[in-house]
Structures are given as C-alpha cells and as structure tokens.
Amino acid sequence: MHEPNRAIPAYAEPDWAQVARIPVAECGEALCSLRLAPALRVYPAYRHLGIPEAVEDCLVRREVFERLLRAAAHLPAGLALVVLDGWRPIAVQQHLYRTLETAMALHHPQADAATLQRLTRQFVSPPSRDPQAPSPHLTGGAVDVTLCDVQGRWLDMGSRFDEVGPRSFSAHYESAAADDAAALAIRDRRRLLHDAMLEAGFANLPSEWWHYDYGDQLWAWHRGRPAALYGPTAPPSLEDLWRQQLAERFADPT
C-alpha cells in the first residue's frame, strides 16, 4: 500500500570504489523487449534524441521486466509507468559520458581530472564492459523511468530527464515550502514513483530521480547484498543464435 507522505531519504552518493568491489555472480538471464508490454509505456529516449547506435526498444533482464510490471501495478489508477531506457550499448555509454565530461570541463575550467570525473559520474557512469565492474546500463539491470497519465501525457517531475543539476536529485523537492503547491505536487509524484519502484525491489540512484537498479552492483550496494546478479550483456546476434541452435541440434547425446 502506498503511503503518500513517505519522504524520499536524502541518501549519500554511492561509494563507487566499494560498488566496483562487489562480486558479480552472473545468473545468465536473457534480455527482454518491453515494446509489447501493455502495462508499460515505452519511449526509447536516446533513440528519439538521435544518439548514435541507440536502440529503438527498451531491453531489460527478464526479472527486471517482471519487477517493472509489479511497479506499474502499484501505481494509483490513472497513472502509467514510462520506461525511457534500459540496456545500453557501450557506444551510447561512451557518447553520453564523453559529451557530459566535455560540458563539465567547459563549465568548470579549473577542475582537475578527478573532480570532473566525480561531477560527471553523478549523472553518467564511466563506460565499462569489465565483467567485474560494468556500467549499470550495460547489465540490463538499470532502467530510467517516469510517469504519465492514461492518455500518455507526461507528468511534471520537476526536472527534465537527464538534466544535470540539483533538481534531478531524487530528494530535491522534499524541502519544498508548505505554501508552494507546484513544488509539493512534484514532490508527491516523485514519492509515488519512488515508492512503486522500491516496493518492486529496485534501488534508486540518489542523484537521478528517474534511475533505478535491480540485480546490478549498484542495487547490491544499496540493498546490502553480497553479490550482483548481472554483469555486462548484449542481445544475441543472428549468428550467435544460429551457432547455439546448431550446437544444440548436433550435441553428442553421450
């Protein structure tokens, strides 16, 4: 049951060094397409923004799919869950990180490399396919979500998706003034989303109200789990599928 007055805690930024040390016990779940799920609204944001090599669907691990359905069912009548991004190709991760780091450098000309990395990492993880320390979206366990009404009108969540600034922090509107009706409405929408996603087993990245994790190292860090379930993955190519089928067909029964 949703508690409309449950505040979003102002969690500290993850300790990224500790996150990267959490072991990955890859469970082998496949990626699934969300495009045909009637309970979800799917809008692959980076494809619509024209980011090179962005996929035209939102792909997630099978268990993440099931938990998104649970989160959608937890929302009040009249609201729907919009999925903006899931699994992300390494080329897209590289593009996002490089673009934001360049913008940060222009905005903070005196910042050293470590400071630029810290400022950039609040909103985009460094690209990594390392099996023991992958970027969250490369695992298929990280998702970006928002809310819309039943007609598909997006709700005002207080900042744009991927906005780099204090308004994007999940708990930003928890300090809204009692007489600021617009800010209080945004606070309550964020609470609705946060509550639905956490009830479904996800963990939230504190610097991004839209970013949630299940099964990856960030999820394990937030939830105190001994290991992550998902390492880096990718959709199988047609060649991979043919090889698998032929291997199964001609496997030695002995």
Side-chain angles (χ1 to χ4, degrees):
M1 179 65 67
H2 173 67
E3 298 176 18
N5 294 319
R6 180 157 53 187
I8 299 174
Y11 292 116
E13 184 177 356
D15 183 325
W16 295 105
Q18 288 189 17
V19 171
R21 286 195 291 268
I22 295 173
V24 177
E26 173 59 57
C27 67
E29 278 180 19
L31 289 171
C32 300
S33 167
L34 299 182
R35 182 184 299 173
L36 299 181
L40 303 171
R41 305 297 178 93
V42 179
Y43 185 87
Y46 294 123
R47 181 75 172 192
H48 288 284
L49 286 170
I51 303 300
E53 299 191 47
V55 294
E56 60 182 5
D57 193 1
C58 288
L59 307 173
V60 297
R61 298 283 190 137
R62 187 173 303 279
E63 182 63 23
V64 176
F65 189 169
E66 297 300 325
R67 289 174 182 273
L68 285 170
L69 296 178
R70 184 190 301 180
H74 191 70
L75 293 172
L79 295 183
L81 189 67
V82 183
V83 183
L84 303 170
D85 194 32
W87 175 81
R88 196 180 284 170
I90 187 66
V92 175
Q93 192 70 29
Q94 290 167 336
H95 176 89
L96 295 175
Y97 189 85
R98 182 175 62 250
T99 302
L100 181 54
E101 188 177 45
T102 299
M104 287 291 187
L106 291 172
H107 193 69
H108 301 280
Q110 306 304 319
D112 58 19
T115 300
L116 284 176
Q117 183 183 63
R118 179 181 61 80
L119 293 171
T120 304
R121 193 167 199 166
Q122 285 184 325
F123 301 102
V124 180
S125 293
S128 172
R129 285 184 291 198
D130 181 346
Q132 292 305 313
S135 306
H137 277 281
L138 270 68
T139 71
V143 291
D144 297 328
V145 293
T146 188
L147 297 174
C148 72
D149 67 17
V150 291
Q151 301 303 325
R153 291 183 286 258
W154 292 29
L155 303 190
D156 181 3
M157 301 297 287
S159 81
R160 295 183 297 276
F161 166 59
D162 264 358
E163 181 175 316
V164 289
R167 296 192 308 176
S168 291
F169 281 69
S170 301
H172 177 76
Y173 287 90
E174 291 298 330
S175 59
D179 59 350
D180 189 341
L184 292 174
I186 291 167
R187 180 202 66 183
D188 289 347
R189 293 181 199 117
R190 289 193 182 190
R191 287 180 178 183
L192 281 171
L193 179 62
H194 188 265
D195 185 69
M197 294 297 286
L198 264 62
E199 189 278 336
F202 290 92
N204 175 235
L205 180 63
S207 56
E208 297 180 353
W209 59 261
W210 57 84
H211 180 108
Y212 288 85
D213 298 274
Y214 178 83
D216 59 17
Q217 287 171 305
L218 262 179
W219 165 83
W221 187 82
H222 282 294
R223 293 273 176 162
R225 300 299 179 95
L229 307 175
Y230 305 143
T233 190
S237 66
L238 180 59
E239 182 180 8
D240 291 336
L241 292 172
W242 280 343
R243 286 177 176 174
Q244 179 183 350
Q245 292 162 7
L246 289 170
E248 292 171 352
R249 179 180 176 187
F250 296 106
D252 185 348
T254 62

